[in-house]
Amino acid sequence: MPVERGVVKVKNEAKTILLLKSLFGAYYRENDIPPPPQFSKREFGFMLWDKEGMIRHKTFYNRTEFLAFLRKNAPKNAYRSAAYYLDPEAQSMEGKGWVGADLIFDIDADHLITSCKEVHDRWICIDCGIRGTGKKPAQCPSCKSTRIDEVSWICDQCLNSAKEEVFKLLDFLFDDFGVSEKEVKVVYSGHRGYHVHVDNETVRELSSDGRREIINYITGTGIKVENLGLIEVSADGRKFLIGPDLTSEGWGKRLVKSIIRMFSSSDLEDTLRSISIPERKIKILLANRERLVDALSSTPSKWDFLHGIGISIWEKIALAAIKRMAAQVDEPVSVDVHRLIRLEYSLHGSTGFKVTPISVTDLERFDPFKDAIVFKGEKEVIFREYCPEFRIGDELFGPYQQGEKVELPLPAVVFTLAKDVAELP
């Protein structure tokens, strides 16, 4: 009987792959996918439905050749390099002849702390079958195996959190680095987050070390509050505090703005406790929060007006404020000058959603669960695993239990099949 179930499983997986490849193929045949700028200098990579690993070191010298490959192979995932090469098809990085690379930022909800993950993310031990919710453990709590599968889900909270980080990043790029809006392209990855491309002559030539310095700046890595001007000084026999204000440059101004927002927020008390401010000091800060906002909003800012709130307390507040203001990005993606990134307008093999470029002005109203949907129709699936609630367009689906047979809109079918929680009957 186990052998028979195994045969059925293989057949169902083959049916799923056949359907998904067919649908992806129809999308590529019916749409004129534009290649990226200077595509003949780019390396391309592809993951196919019926092959392990990635096909790399490809390039295309004309649009017809590019489209023909997509339409013939209907790839599960498609990528292109951020870099420009003299010979993109060379098998080694040294042989490609690197001449520059766009600066790419990857903001992925998987790297953000969101409460929804404890509800919709799931894991299962391959060896003993025990299951759980939230982040998968390093080893199974029952049998101690490290062979653990996980299903990372996506929801509005996940993707809205990622979008908030994109806005933080754009603020850094525009205000602190002087990048213009026309040099920036935001791309929804088709799954858990966004990519931000910067096409600028200056950044194109940056080394990995130069790109790391940019990452360190926007993530607030290594910032010391005394270097921003928040220090204790002595004069006339007494000690008092001075610090940056809203006319300061760079992180000095950002620090003031972030503290003002912190003391204007509803979660101030929880924030102060989380950074180990003593209770008696918390009472002073809460009682004077409006005075503090006014004092920091003035020019110059007044830092030394609350008795009992000295430099040690302000340093803790400042470090928390820096963390809140900093953007969270995936450093290796930005630092790697040979990185492959999702191909714009391709389909993501884990969702069936379109990798969608978005103008900065449209980012606020962009809805991945509407604007990245490409399929139409209906089909029946059987759920092989528990399926959390999800949204397609304006409609909510699920949750579904293992064994349920449901007819769903085709985008929902593709999503659940690609997520491997459902199979075809």
Side-chain angles (χ1 to χ4, degrees):
M1 194 66 180
V3 174
E4 188 175 319
R5 281 200 297 269
V7 171
V8 171
K9 181 180 179 182
V10 169
K11 286 183 177 179
N12 286 340
E13 288 176 350
K15 285 169 64 177
T16 294
I17 289 173
L18 188 63
L19 174 66
L20 292 176
K21 184 176 181 180
S22 173
L23 290 171
F24 277 46
Y27 167 78
Y28 287 118
R29 288 191 302 273
E30 295 166 8
N31 292 274
D32 190 17
I33 309 299
Q38 302 188 55
F39 64 93
S40 63
K41 298 179 181 179
R42 310 271 191 181
E43 178 193 357
F44 289 80
F46 301 95
M47 297 179 71
L48 305 183
W49 294 98
D50 51 0
K51 291 184 180 179
E52 293 292 328
M54 181 187 292
I55 299 173
R56 288 199 62 165
H57 311 300
K58 286 195 66 66
T59 196
F60 303 99
Y61 296 101
N62 58 67
R63 189 185 184 106
T64 300
E65 185 183 355
F66 170 75
L67 288 173
F69 182 93
L70 292 176
R71 290 167 179 173
K72 177 183 178 181
N73 293 280
K76 180 179 182 180
N77 295 293
Y79 308 86
R80 54 85 161 187
S81 66
Y84 308 89
Y85 299 107
L86 296 176
D87 183 10
E89 291 183 304
Q91 297 298 297
S92 69
M93 290 303 167
E94 295 78 11
K96 290 180 185 295
W98 187 89
V99 294
D102 301 329
L103 178 59
I104 306 290
F105 299 94
D106 179 24
I107 295 173
D108 194 326
D110 198 40
H111 301 147
L112 305 177
I113 299 173
T114 55
S115 59
C116 56
K117 291 178 183 176
E118 296 302 316
V119 177
H120 59 51
D121 282 9
R122 280 175 152 65
W123 57 267
I124 178 171
C125 175
I126 295 172
D127 291 322
C128 74
I130 191 172
R131 300 163 186 259
T133 59
K135 184 177 177 62
K136 76 172 184 178
Q139 64 178 22
C140 175
S142 177
C143 71
K144 309 306 179 185
S145 169
T146 57
R147 300 199 313 143
I148 301 174
D149 273 347
E150 64 179 333
V151 176
S152 298
W153 211 247
I154 53 173
C155 70
D156 285 310
Q157 184 181 344
C158 296
L159 292 178
N160 286 338
S161 295
K163 188 185 287 188
E164 288 174 11
E165 296 303 315
V166 175
F167 281 118
K168 286 185 189 178
L169 171 62
L170 293 176
D171 190 49
F172 278 103
L173 294 176
F174 297 151
D175 289 359
D176 294 38
F177 290 95
V179 175
S180 69
E181 190 174 311
K182 67 180 181 180
E183 295 172 317
V184 173
K185 177 170 62 178
V186 180
V187 180
Y188 169 57
S189 72
H191 195 193
R192 292 188 291 250
Y194 295 85
H195 302 146
V196 177
H197 301 233
V198 179
D199 182 5
N200 173 286
E201 287 290 341
T202 302
V203 302
R204 193 178 296 172
E205 298 175 1
L206 284 175
S207 66
S208 292
D209 288 341
R211 293 163 195 259
R212 184 175 285 106
E213 286 186 26
I214 292 175
I215 292 295
N216 287 345
Y217 183 88
I218 66 174
T219 57
T221 301
I223 289 181
K224 296 181 179 179
V225 296
E226 59 265 31
N227 292 341
L228 302 181
L230 180 55
I231 57 175
E232 186 178 67
V233 297
S234 299
D236 300 327
R238 65 177 289 264
K239 293 180 178 180
F240 60 97
L241 298 174
I242 61 172
D245 59 34
L246 293 174
T247 65
S248 300
E249 296 293 328
W251 263 109
K253 178 173 71 175
R254 290 183 176 279
L255 173 61
V256 178
K257 289 171 65 175
S258 187
I259 293 177
I260 289 172
R261 290 176 187 170
M262 182 191 298
F263 276 80
S264 302
S265 66
S266 59
D267 65 345
L268 174 61
E269 187 171 352
D270 291 338
T271 299
L272 295 174
R273 286 200 175 92
S274 72
I275 58 176
S276 302
I277 303 293
E279 284 297 322
R280 65 185 184 281
K281 306 291 185 180
I282 290 176
K283 290 179 181 179
I284 295 172
L285 291 166
L286 292 175
N288 292 276
R289 60 192 300 173
E290 292 182 6
R291 288 180 61 208
L292 189 146
V293 168
D294 290 340
L296 293 185
S297 300
S298 63
T299 305
S301 292
K302 298 179 180 65
W303 293 83
D304 193 46
F305 73 99
L306 284 180
H307 180 69
I309 306 298
I311 187 65
S312 62
I313 298 297
W314 276 116
E315 284 176 344
K316 288 183 177 182
I317 293 171
L319 290 173
I322 288 169
K323 186 175 181 179
R324 288 167 74 114
M325 178 67 82
Q328 298 186 59
V329 300
D330 187 2
E331 178 188 356
V333 173
S334 300
V335 171
D336 185 356
V337 295
H338 301 290
R339 193 78 175 197
L340 296 183
I341 200 75
R342 290 273 170 186
L343 175 66
E344 300 92 313
Y345 301 100
S346 66
L347 298 182
H348 198 298
S350 294
T351 59
F353 294 175
K354 181 170 65 175
V355 180
T356 311
I358 315 152
S359 69
V360 172
T361 53
D362 288 338
L363 180 59
E364 181 66 53
R365 57 179 174 268
F366 176 77
D367 180 353
F369 296 103
K370 284 185 180 180
D371 301 325
I373 300 301
V374 300
F375 298 115
K376 295 180 180 178
E378 293 186 342
K379 203 166 186 68
E380 195 171 60
V381 294
I382 298 174
F383 286 91
R384 57 193 295 178
E385 302 284 348
Y386 172 82
C387 174
E389 182 181 84
F390 63 97
R391 178 171 67 86
I392 298 291
D394 294 320
E395 191 171 354
L396 289 174
F397 299 93
Y400 299 111
Q401 302 299 322
Q402 184 178 11
E404 277 194 70
K405 181 185 288 189
V406 187
E407 186 172 71
L408 296 172
L410 199 53
V413 169
V414 172
F415 179 71
T416 55
L417 292 177
K419 279 291 189 184
D420 202 29
V421 297
E423 61 189 15
L424 297 173

